[in-house]
Amino acid sequence: HICATDSLSKLLLFGGCLRAMAAIQNLQAYDPFADAAADTSDSKGVQSGHIHIRIQQRNGRKTLTTVQGISDDYDKKKLVRYAKREFACNGTVVEHPEYGEVLQFQGDQRNNIASFLIRIGLCTEDQIKMHGF
């Protein structure tokens, strides 16, 4: 009896697993580039909101340029990497509790950043708002 009950319980357990697995639906086809292809704006690759470029005074003559408002569709770390290389300055991506991910660059890089973002096609000139001094 112990053997029969044990095998019966294993069979019921296995049958329950089969029923549970039958309830799981197969994953549907997913195109990871569907969002990029479904561009609703007139200009390709341009984000919808404003980009705010600010300058902050640190100590003495040292300044910090911050860039906020870049869409999450773009890889901010790659943007910082290429901008650092082009402007010969240091930069990083910091997480701000209110504004989300903000790019920071050493020095007054406002004009450089603005021209860089326009040149790579991330935004248009009227989407950039410059603040400071």
Side-chain angles (χ1 to χ4, degrees):
H1 280 60
I2 294 174
C3 237
T5 310
D6 192 30
S7 63
L8 182 62
S9 65
K10 286 181 182 178
L11 184 63
L12 288 175
L13 179 66
F14 183 68
C17 289
L18 284 178
R19 272 187 247 119
M21 287 174 63
I24 296 174
Q25 294 179 358
N26 193 4
L27 296 176
Q28 298 176 359
Y30 174 70
D31 183 12
F33 302 107
D35 294 337
D39 193 303
T40 57
S41 65
D42 294 339
S43 52
K44 291 252 183 218
V46 177
Q47 71 170 25
S48 58
H50 290 288
I51 294 178
H52 299 274
I53 302 175
R54 295 182 172 88
I55 188 167
Q56 297 175 353
Q57 190 71 35
R58 284 180 46 216
N59 48 0
R61 295 173 46 200
K62 307 286 184 185
T63 57
L64 191 68
T65 304
T66 59
V67 182
Q68 160 202 339
I70 295 178
S71 174
D72 290 334
D73 298 338
Y74 301 102
D75 188 2
K76 295 178 182 76
K77 291 188 180 190
K78 277 189 179 179
L79 286 172
V80 168
R81 189 180 317 134
Y82 288 111
K84 282 169 52 173
R85 197 173 296 154
E86 188 166 323
F87 310 144
C89 70
N90 198 11
T92 186
V93 178
V94 295
E95 183 67 36
H96 193 274
E98 185 178 350
Y99 303 124
E101 288 184 327
V102 177
L103 311 182
Q104 285 186 346
F105 297 97
Q106 286 183 352
D108 186 2
Q109 306 293 338
R110 289 176 294 175
N111 296 327
N112 293 338
I113 293 288
S115 63
F116 175 73
L117 294 176
I118 293 167
R119 190 176 69 247
I120 64 172
L122 193 134
C123 63
T124 60
E125 192 170 348
D126 59 330
Q127 290 178 310
I128 294 178
K129 304 291 181 194
M130 280 215 221
H131 306 279
F133 300 146

